Amino acid sequence: VVAVMAAGAVVRILAPLIAAGDKSSDPAILVIDEAGRFVIPILGGHAAGANQLANQLAELLGSDAVITTATDVAGMPGLDDLGWPVVGDVSGVSRAMLDGELVTLASAHRWPLPALGENVVEDLGAEITVDHPTILISDLAAQTGGDGAVVLRPPSLVVGMGASRGVCTDEARRLLDESLWDAGLAIESVAAIATAQIKADEQALIDLAHQLGVPLVTHSAAALGRVAVPNPSDVVRAAVGVPSVSEAAALLGARKCLDGPGPIGADGSGLTAQMTAELVVTKTASAMATVAIARHPPRGRLALVGLGPGSRDLLTAAARKELCRASVVVGLDQYVDQIRDLLRPGTEILSSGLGQEEERAHTAVARARDGFAVALIGSGDAG
């Protein structure tokens, strides 16, 4: 809701309608003054996207966005604004980040997150400690955070499903829930449902993907047939022409669900060299469905960011977004100076002088291969 009226009037109208203490259900409410000089998010700053919408409206109107959310004011991403489900002591850990306390970012692998602040120290392989606030990245259901700790659920799991024609949604959902429970995996980390192209119109799978809010990814028989699986089936081969649907689809889907388009062609080309996903749940069956679950390791990302012809107002929104998303920025020193104020606190800056373009490119690729979110900047077009 965008209200063009006094902020006080909006507060009075909304106050009786807002559920007490439940930010997750708040809508995005913004106020714009009659003259169009200010855009103010009143409710739903992070979870509902009001802060982001305020910035977009301010850019369109040539006005100022008045953001009061503490993390945004400090230039830090909110833990509930990373696009991942988060559980635990969000407010307590966020406050520690803002106050400059030592915060540990613990994970089995490095994920390409934006810079979280100079006081957030990465510790790969660490667990939650009681010594200081901790951010743990985990897809294990047993990790739920607690006082001084939060758990971020990464999009690390892909569910492969096969189904007989006409299977009901309840059966498919029950099979999935039981498989996740037995393996101790968090359903919030499911990134996609994957299946064979011949099952693209299976209503139960469509409904299940809708319930989870994830895409239904389909793969051709040729691609599925190229995947080596632990439990091939002659019955499945006779029905759909390939020895595996659930296990093969889970492995293929996990590779494709890595951040950005993967190197695998539609026919499965490139699979042998690139497949790094692992099956964490092998094929499990109900009367009319099968399920398997694969986990994909994170990989870094590299954005090539063109700063435009020079004037700050010609820097595109996409470029600004990538600069905010990066934890490492690589570029010519004078170009870095132009956008230094747009970078989040704690961003690693790797700058060098004229004539070192090739070295900067190698550096950017190396940092991305190490798992970081990298922006390689240049003037003009990103080309």
Side-chain angles (χ1 to χ4, degrees), residues 29-343:
I29 307 293
L30 298 94
V31 171
I32 301 178
D33 64 284
E34 292 277 353
R37 293 177 300 173
F38 302 102
V39 184
I40 310 170
I42 297 294
L43 204 61
H46 277 164
N51 290 350
Q52 181 180 3
L53 181 57
N55 286 321
Q56 292 172 342
L57 286 173
E59 185 174 354
L60 290 170
L61 297 172
S63 55
D64 294 322
V66 182
I67 309 295
T68 59
T69 306
T71 50
D72 287 325
V73 172
M76 296 167 50
L79 294 175
D80 55 352
D81 198 33
L82 295 172
W84 294 357
V86 57
V87 295
D89 187 8
V90 176
S91 59
V93 175
S94 297
R95 174 48 56 190
M97 294 167 64
L98 289 166
D99 288 347
E101 296 181 34
L102 175 63
V103 177
T104 296
L105 175 63
S107 177
H109 305 281
R110 176 177 292 119
W111 287 83
L113 294 174
L116 298 178
E118 296 178 352
N119 56 312
V120 179
V121 179
E122 181 184 69
D123 190 353
L124 297 183
E127 298 289 342
I128 288 179
T129 69
V130 295
D131 300 323
H132 50 265
T134 301
I135 304 166
L136 178 65
I137 302 176
S138 176
D139 59 16
L140 300 180
Q143 299 284 5
T144 58
D147 189 22
V150 298
V151 178
L152 290 172
R153 300 296 192 200
S156 57
L157 305 176
V158 172
V159 174
M161 295 204 79
S164 298
R165 185 61 65 186
V167 63
C168 70
T169 304
D170 288 344
E171 178 179 343
R173 180 59 187 265
R174 185 165 54 251
L175 178 61
L176 173 58
D177 288 343
E178 291 173 354
S179 298
L180 290 167
W181 174 267
D182 291 342
L185 299 172
I187 196 169
E188 296 88 352
S189 283
V190 173
I193 305 293
T195 190
Q197 280 182 354
I198 195 173
K199 296 296 180 181
D201 61 346
E202 192 66 53
Q203 192 60 47
L205 301 185
I206 296 172
D207 292 344
L208 182 57
H210 180 72
Q211 287 179 11
L212 301 184
V214 300
L216 178 63
V217 180
T218 62
H219 302 286
S220 68
L224 293 173
R226 287 181 171 88
V227 182
V229 297
N231 298 294
S233 169
D234 291 334
V235 174
V236 176
R237 187 191 300 274
V240 295
V242 294
S244 170
V245 172
S246 60
E247 290 180 338
L251 287 168
L252 266 181
R255 187 63 189 94
K256 284 183 177 291
C257 281
L258 290 170
D259 188 16
I264 301 174
D267 61 351
S269 59
L271 186 60
T272 302
Q274 299 294 339
M275 179 61 70
T276 54
E278 61 169 337
L279 278 177
V280 289
V281 176
T282 55
K283 183 174 68 176
T284 304
S286 64
M288 298 183 66
T290 60
V291 68
I293 303 173
R295 175 188 283 133
H296 69 75
R299 71 175 181 186
R301 65 189 310 273
L302 174 59
L304 306 182
V305 180
L307 301 183
S311 177
R312 173 61 67 85
D313 64 342
L314 298 178
L315 181 67
T316 67
R320 289 175 181 268
K321 181 179 179 181
E322 288 296 343
L323 293 173
C324 288
R325 183 172 178 177
S327 60
V328 179
V329 169
V330 183
L332 180 68
D333 45 18
Q334 59 186 352
Y335 295 154
V336 170
D337 289 341
Q338 292 178 22
I339 49 83
R340 192 180 294 269
D341 62 303
L342 299 178
L343 305 181

